[in-house]
């Protein structure tokens, strides 16, 4: 390799030109080809400024990273897809090439627990090469090794895999697939992967994805870092590796030490699973006394960072540290191995008592503990453990019950690196602390147990606890009407994001209800107004068209709030299919019953297939077009999100995914019919899905600019669609109302009426076609409207509705 290139990027110096360096499913780059690609990119970079690189697990990111090193330009790695506004603002002069940069500065990374933070770790070229060499030495890497990129490259652990392998002429297999995906293992087998890396969460996923039964003859070792893994898990995987011919290497590190500081020799994993092992080659540990035999772990070695950067001026500073105070409490055992016992900052002060949060987590096993204020908050995604946690805590530390608050959540929040996101948990706990203890501030007649009974009854979940939330209990777009109404009546308010808050938190947020006014969720109000507008317009009592298209947007809004919030792909698909069945089954049963006694409907309509198999001309079978659109769009989305790459993409880019769907559905509409749709086209699934997609986008729009973007799109999309400006304005206004972030207050009789109408809207829509025509013909249109609404409400409360709900629950269980 050229001397210029070797000086700029030491990492490739040992690669043989013809050997593979980077492997993807589409291509393989040899070391010679990678060098040329890096040289070309380095020339394009120019000589000045920090390179901001959104680093994904792809070839372009690897080339960009190495090219920055080759051009001797510091590179700041960030996760892909973010706007990184604060970083761009704070370090603008560095990106523009106007700032002084220290000549040794090579890499800038956010600390492991604060991805995206403007506080950066400054790493030198010597840091990178020293740590890569140490890792390669204790793992025994050779040019024959091929590592899977199972962690993101913007994370120091994932980047260290790339650095250490390239430093010895080995290869890296790039993929953004998760270890939970079958395709990940297909790629590993196809390219002969010899290793992959994981954080503790990775091993939780491996436990549930059948890893123990996989045949991986090329696998030589697995590494684990990124947090302390339970000793039993270490012991279990060490035994599995011994039986399968691979090693488990437990490691310890921090971004401030480039990546690694210690490793546990594989032979000791089964007998000493609680230890982090010994320092890496070239590194040393010592203890600064804190309490007894435990002290703060201090590390020295050539991989210790230059220092932190919190401003552009810091980028000109040279190395400022000779040792790294890790912040971890540790001890050295009699056998010479080092053990981490806790974190100096992981202590809480509760009622004057110093509480070791790490110890509590270790003892409980099924909860994460934080204490930002005066109470201990436990967060668990294990539904079976929530009720037992206070009693278990009592056996660990003597705290009164009122000082312990349990929160049941769908999924423990994690940073992009897979670590527990304690910043988010602390923020949630601070909100709960501000609301007061769970039994304080309740409205008259409202307490946590009373609310739990509401949830248990409406959602048919007798197992509900006060630690549950509407979403965690599987609430959907039908049941939320009654829950939201009762919350408004009992609490006097509907807190933002109430559907994600635990019952205990909602009870704590209660305030004295207003005598006459009650909050009403906007989707509830829209459903009530839209169904009345639909029935009255059909009966020619008034003309206010567009209600069904507004209901489509409401369905998309609730889809985003309830259908897409489940933590796993299969559970999300089940909820979406349940939503489709909740519409299709009652509609099919009703249409079949009507067809038996009249010629109004035909069998394709009963199956929701009129648009596929029925006439292109308007017939009575088209009356239920709206229900077919909801059924098949929900079912289709469920199937799409079962595809791992689409599931991951939507979760990472919630608003972006909704915008893409809006764009795609509008493109189909414009390509199909242009601006104005025909008589049946305005009801055809391919031409109206943009209404549902805009409701979805409205639910995901959290920032002002996002709301503005959705609002503008609503106006553009509705323009000209019906050839009726009044109808288009009605639909646009109905969708725009979904962007309002607070619930309106209505007199309590109207609030209760809106709830009843919204809850019965499906049945009102179904039955009104058979009720109003005869009364309208007799000149009794008003009576037809009232009779249709009354019959629909009665049907929603009657045995047919209960049978349909029970059948849906069984079909989607």
């Amino acid at each position: 390799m050229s001397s210029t290139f070797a000086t700029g990027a030491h990492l490739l110096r040992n690669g043989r030109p013809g050997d593979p360096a980077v492997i993807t499913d589409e291509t393989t780059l040899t070391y010679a080809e990678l060098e040329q690609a890096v040289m070309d990119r380095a020339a394009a970079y120019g000589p000045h400024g920090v390179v901001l690189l959104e680093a994904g697990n792809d070839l372009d990111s690897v080339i960009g990273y190495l090219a920055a090193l080759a051009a001797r330009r510091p590179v700041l790695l960030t996760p892909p897809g973010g706007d990184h506004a604060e970083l761009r603002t704070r370090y603008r002069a560095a990106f523009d090439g106007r700032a002084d940069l220290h000549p040794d500065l090579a890499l800038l990374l956010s600390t492991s627990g604060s991805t995206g933070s403007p506080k950066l770790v400054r790493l030198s070229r010597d840091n990178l090469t020293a740590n890569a060499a140490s890792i390669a030495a204790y793992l025994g890497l050779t040019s024959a090794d091929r590592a899977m990129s199972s962690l993101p490259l913007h994370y120091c652990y994932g980047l260290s895999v790339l650095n250490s392998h390239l430093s010895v002429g080995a290869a890296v297999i790039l993929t953004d697939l998760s270890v939970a995906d079958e395709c990940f293992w297909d790629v590993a087998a196809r390219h002969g992967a010899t290793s992959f890396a994981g954080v503790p969460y990775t091993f939780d996923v491996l436990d549930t994805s059948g890893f123990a039964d996989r045949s991986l003859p090329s696998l030589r070792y697995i590494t684990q870092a990124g947090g302390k893994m339970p000793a039993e898990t270490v012991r279990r995987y060490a035994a599995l590796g011994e039986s399968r011919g691979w090693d488990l290497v437990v490691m310890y590190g921090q971004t401030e030490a480039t990546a690694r500081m210690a490793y546990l020799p594989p032979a000791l994993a089964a007998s000493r699973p609680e230890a982090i092992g010994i320092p890496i080659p070239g590194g040393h540990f010592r203890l600064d006394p804190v309490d007894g035999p435990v002290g703060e772990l201090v590390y020295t070695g050539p991989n210790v960072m230059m220092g932190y950067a919190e401003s552009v001026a810091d980028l000109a500073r040279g190395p400022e540290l000779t040792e790294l105070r890790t912040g971890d409490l540790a001890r050295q055992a009699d056998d010479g191995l080092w053990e981490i016992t806790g974190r100096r900052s992981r202590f809480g002060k509760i009622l004057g008592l110093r509480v070791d949060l790490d110890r509590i987590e270790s003892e409980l096993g099924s909860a994460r503990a934080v204490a930002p204020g005066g109470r201990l908050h436990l967060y668990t995604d294990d539904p079976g453990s929530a009720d037992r946690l206070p009693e278990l805590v009592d056996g660990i530390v003597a705290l009164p019950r009122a000082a312990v608050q349990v929160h049941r959540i769908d999924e423990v929040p994690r940073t992009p690196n897979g670590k527990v996101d304690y910043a988010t948990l602390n923020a949630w706990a601070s909100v709960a602390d501000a609301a007061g203890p769970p039994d304080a501030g309740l409205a008259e007649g409202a307490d946590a147990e009373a609310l739990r009974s509401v949830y248990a009854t409406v959602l048919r979940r007798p197992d509900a606890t006060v630690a549950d939330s509407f979403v965690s209990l599987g609430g959907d777009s039908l049941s939320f009407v009654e829950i939201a109404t009762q919350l408004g009546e009992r609490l006097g308010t509907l807190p933002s994001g109430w559907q994600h808050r635990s019952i205990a938190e909602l009870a704590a947020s209660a305030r004295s209800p207003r005598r006459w006014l009650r909050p009403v969720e906007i989707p509830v109000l829209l459903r009530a107004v839209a169904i009345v507008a639909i029935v009255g317009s059909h009966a020619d009592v008034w003309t206010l068209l567009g209600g069904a298209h507004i209901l489509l947007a409401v369905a998309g809004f609730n889809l985003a709030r309830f259908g897409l919030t489940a933590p796993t792909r299969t559970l999300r698909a089940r909820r979406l299919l349940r939503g489709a069945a909740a519409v299709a089954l009652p509609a099919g049963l009703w249409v079949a019953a009507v067809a038996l006694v009249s010629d109004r409907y035909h069998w394709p309509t009963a199956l929701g297939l009129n648009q596929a198999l029925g006439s292109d001309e308007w017939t009575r079978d088209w009356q239920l077009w709206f229900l077919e659109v909801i059924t098949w769009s929900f079912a289709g989305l469920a199937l799409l999100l079962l595809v791992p790459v689409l599931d991951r993409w939507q979760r990472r880019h919630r608003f972006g995914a909704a915008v893409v769907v809006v764009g795609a559905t509008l493109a189909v509409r414009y390509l199909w019919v242009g601006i104005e749709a025909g008589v049946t086209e305005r009801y055809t699934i391919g031409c109206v899905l943009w209404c549902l997609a805009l409701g979805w986008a409205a639910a995901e729009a959290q920032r002002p600019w996002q709301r503005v973007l959705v609002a503008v799109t609503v106006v553009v999309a509705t323009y000209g669609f019906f050839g009726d400006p009044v109808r288009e304005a009605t639909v646009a206004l109905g969708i725009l109302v979904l962007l309002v972030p607070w619930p309106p207050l209505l007199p309590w009789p109207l609030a209760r009426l809106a709830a009843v109408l919204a809850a019965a809207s499906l049945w009102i829509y179904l039955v009104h076609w058979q009720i109003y025509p005869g009364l309208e013909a007799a000149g009794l249109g008003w009576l037809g409207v009232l009779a249709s609404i009354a019959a629909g409400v009665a049907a929603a409360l009657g045995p047919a509705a209960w049978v349909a709900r029970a059948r849906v629950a069984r079909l989607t269980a």
Side-chain angles (χ1 to χ4, degrees):
M1 294 192 176
S2 68
S3 59
T4 301
F5 185 79
T7 301
H10 301 289
L11 300 175
L12 299 179
R13 62 188 176 191
N14 292 322
R16 292 177 295 191
D19 283 354
V22 181
I23 301 169
T24 71
D25 253 8
E26 292 77 28
T27 187
T28 296
L29 254 63
T30 64
Y31 272 86
E33 292 167 334
L34 180 60
E35 176 184 5
Q36 187 59 54
V38 169
M39 291 294 287
D40 293 342
R41 181 72 61 85
Y45 274 152
H48 304 296
V50 171
V51 175
L52 177 63
L53 181 63
E54 294 188 355
N57 287 9
D58 53 60
L59 185 58
D60 189 67
S61 296
V62 171
I63 293 173
Y65 163 66
L66 294 173
L69 297 180
R72 301 195 68 81
R73 289 184 58 178
V75 56
L76 169 56
L77 300 183
T78 65
D83 59 12
H84 313 303
E86 191 170 2
L87 280 172
R88 292 179 185 276
T89 300
R90 183 169 298 196
Y91 295 100
R92 180 177 291 118
F95 300 138
D96 295 344
R98 295 180 286 113
D100 291 332
L101 305 175
H102 194 277
D104 291 341
L105 182 62
L107 178 64
L108 295 165
L109 294 175
S110 290
T111 59
S112 300
S114 56
T115 301
S117 167
K119 181 179 181 180
L120 302 174
V121 171
R122 296 183 290 122
L123 298 172
S124 68
R125 285 170 175 76
D126 288 343
N127 291 154
L128 293 178
T129 54
N131 207 227
S134 292
I135 295 170
Y138 71 72
L139 290 179
L141 297 181
T142 71
S143 60
D145 279 299
R146 296 186 173 192
M148 291 290 289
S149 60
S150 48
L151 296 170
L153 290 181
H154 59 79
Y155 173 31
C156 70
Y157 185 10
L159 186 65
S160 73
V161 174
L162 175 73
N163 290 341
S164 58
H165 280 71
L166 293 183
S167 72
V168 297
V172 175
I173 305 167
L174 294 177
T175 178
D176 63 355
L177 295 169
S178 162
V179 295
D181 296 323
E182 194 65 33
C183 294
F184 179 94
W185 304 107
D186 292 342
V187 171
R190 185 160 54 250
H191 297 295
T194 59
S195 68
F196 68 90
V199 296
Y201 179 64
T202 306
F203 291 81
D204 293 340
V205 176
L206 292 176
D207 282 342
T208 61
S209 62
F211 174 75
D213 298 323
R214 296 187 185 279
S215 175
L216 299 166
S218 63
L219 189 63
R220 188 167 73 82
Y221 66 89
I222 301 173
T223 62
Q224 182 271 314
K228 189 173 183 179
M229 195 157 72
E232 179 52 39
T233 305
V234 174
R235 190 178 289 111
R236 180 158 45 86
Y237 273 89
L240 178 63
E242 185 176 9
S243 67
R244 296 297 180 85
W246 48 262
D247 290 327
L248 174 66
V249 186
V250 175
M251 306 188 300
Y252 167 76
Q254 291 180 359
T255 308
E256 290 84 347
T258 307
R260 304 274 70 81
M261 290 183 280
Y263 73 100
L264 181 64
L268 301 176
S271 60
R272 292 288 274 114
E274 67 279 7
I276 62 169
I278 58 177
I280 64 173
H284 302 278
F285 284 137
R286 68 176 178 82
L287 290 179
D288 263 5
V290 176
D291 287 314
V294 173
E296 182 181 5
L297 190 65
V298 180
Y299 174 82
T300 57
N303 52 312
V304 172
M305 66 175 177
M306 300 171 71
Y308 290 111
E310 298 187 67
S311 67
V312 171
D314 292 334
L315 302 183
R317 303 166 72 92
E320 299 172 317
L321 300 174
T322 58
E323 61 183 21
L324 176 65
R325 303 184 68 86
T326 66
D328 287 325
L329 301 177
R331 64 187 172 207
Q332 188 173 25
D334 292 340
D335 58 6
L337 299 181
W338 292 86
E339 301 173 358
I340 300 297
T341 62
R343 182 90 180 147
R344 289 199 69 167
S345 60
R346 288 283 292 149
F347 283 86
K349 207 66 172 292
I350 303 172
L351 302 178
L353 183 65
R354 190 167 181 261
V355 176
D356 186 341
L357 300 176
D358 283 326
R359 178 180 170 229
I360 288 176
E361 285 191 1
S362 177
E363 295 282 347
L364 295 179
S366 60
R368 301 297 176 180
V370 293
R375 284 186 288 167
L376 173 66
H377 294 265
L378 302 174
Y379 290 86
T380 179
D381 56 1
D382 179 3
S385 68
D387 291 336
R388 298 183 294 107
L389 290 176
E391 179 182 351
L392 295 174
V393 168
D394 190 53
I396 303 170
V397 59
L399 291 176
R401 178 64 184 86
V404 180
Q405 189 167 349
V406 177
H407 310 270
R408 179 174 164 183
I409 54 179
D410 289 340
E411 189 175 18
V412 174
R414 295 184 181 276
T415 67
N417 308 336
K419 293 186 175 182
V420 174
D421 188 351
Y422 284 108
T424 294
L425 292 181
N426 274 298
W428 291 353
S430 296
V431 171
D433 281 334
D439 59 349
L442 300 183
E444 184 179 353
D447 57 29
E449 180 55 32
L451 293 184
R452 191 206 67 80
S453 297
V454 171
Y455 277 62
T457 302
V458 176
L459 300 178
R460 296 174 183 80
R461 289 292 301 269
D463 60 326
T465 73
V466 295
D468 287 319
S469 68
F470 180 80
V471 170
S472 73
L473 290 171
D476 55 28
S477 60
L478 297 176
S479 55
F480 99 97
V481 175
E482 183 60 24
I483 294 289
T485 301
Q486 294 212 31
L487 287 180
E489 292 177 352
R490 292 169 179 265
L491 303 181
T493 183
L494 278 174
S496 175
W498 64 264
Q499 63 271 21
H500 297 285
R501 297 193 182 194
S502 71
I503 296 170
E505 286 179 274
L506 291 175
S509 71
R511 60 171 180 253
S512 297
R514 299 170 179 87
R515 182 179 296 274
W516 286 102
L517 298 178
R518 297 287 188 272
V520 179
E521 280 255 328
I522 285 177
V524 173
L525 186 59
L526 282 178
R527 280 169 66 167
V529 172
I531 196 62
V532 173
I534 289 169
V535 177
S537 298
H538 290 166
D540 284 335
V541 174
W542 54 68
T543 301
L544 187 60
L545 302 176
H549 291 79
I550 293 174
L551 288 178
L552 272 184
V554 172
F557 189 86
N558 288 329
L559 163 76
R561 294 205 301 172
F562 309 127
L564 298 179
T565 53
T568 65
R569 288 200 309 274
T570 54
L571 185 54
R572 289 218 295 184
R574 190 179 302 144
R575 288 187 182 177
L576 291 172
L577 292 174
R578 181 185 300 161
V583 171
L585 194 56
L589 293 174
W590 178 259
V591 170
V594 172
L596 288 176
V597 298
S598 72
D599 61 352
R600 179 173 290 272
Y601 300 127
H602 299 91
W603 69 265
T605 306
L607 298 176
L609 295 171
N610 174 64
Q611 295 194 29
L613 303 178
S615 171
D616 291 336
E617 302 297 324
W618 181 266
T619 66
R620 289 172 176 173
D621 290 288
W622 276 91
Q623 292 173 343
L624 304 181
W625 67 272
F626 160 72
L627 305 179
E628 289 191 16
V629 172
I630 290 183
T631 298
W632 295 112
S633 59
F634 275 45
L637 183 60
L639 294 177
L640 285 175
L641 293 182
L642 280 175
V643 179
V645 65
L646 295 180
D647 174 78
R648 288 197 308 275
W649 174 71
Q650 187 275 327
R651 289 180 189 275
R652 292 173 183 169
H653 312 287
R654 293 181 63 91
F655 180 71
V659 169
V660 168
V661 174
V662 170
T665 53
L666 281 174
V668 171
R669 167 256 181 110
Y670 286 124
L671 290 172
W672 190 340
V673 300
I675 294 179
E676 183 177 351
V679 175
T680 57
E681 289 169 339
R682 66 187 59 161
Y683 308 115
T684 304
I685 187 169
C687 290
V688 298
L689 273 181
W690 57 270
C691 293
L692 187 144
L694 280 170
W696 177 357
E700 301 290 12
Q702 302 299 316
R703 299 179 181 177
W705 71 266
Q706 294 173 337
R707 293 192 177 97
V708 170
L709 176 61
V710 173
V712 171
T713 308
V714 168
V715 175
V716 172
T718 52
Y719 174 77
F721 183 68
F722 300 102
D724 176 355
V726 175
R727 189 173 184 180
E728 290 156 7
T730 301
V731 173
L733 180 61
I735 302 176
L736 289 173
V737 168
L738 290 171
L739 293 168
V740 177
W742 59 83
L745 296 172
L746 294 182
W748 70 262
L750 289 181
R752 172 47 68 177
L753 177 61
V756 171
L757 293 174
S761 57
L762 171 61
W763 285 96
I764 295 173
Y765 190 84
L766 284 173
V767 306
H768 87 285
W769 298 105
Q770 281 71 55
I771 294 175
Y772 81 83
L775 293 170
E776 179 195 7
L780 300 172
W782 272 104
L783 184 58
V785 172
L786 294 175
S788 296
I789 291 174
V793 171
L797 298 174
W802 285 92
V803 169
R805 291 192 198 106
R807 179 66 65 180
V808 168
R810 281 196 292 271
L811 288 175
T812 57

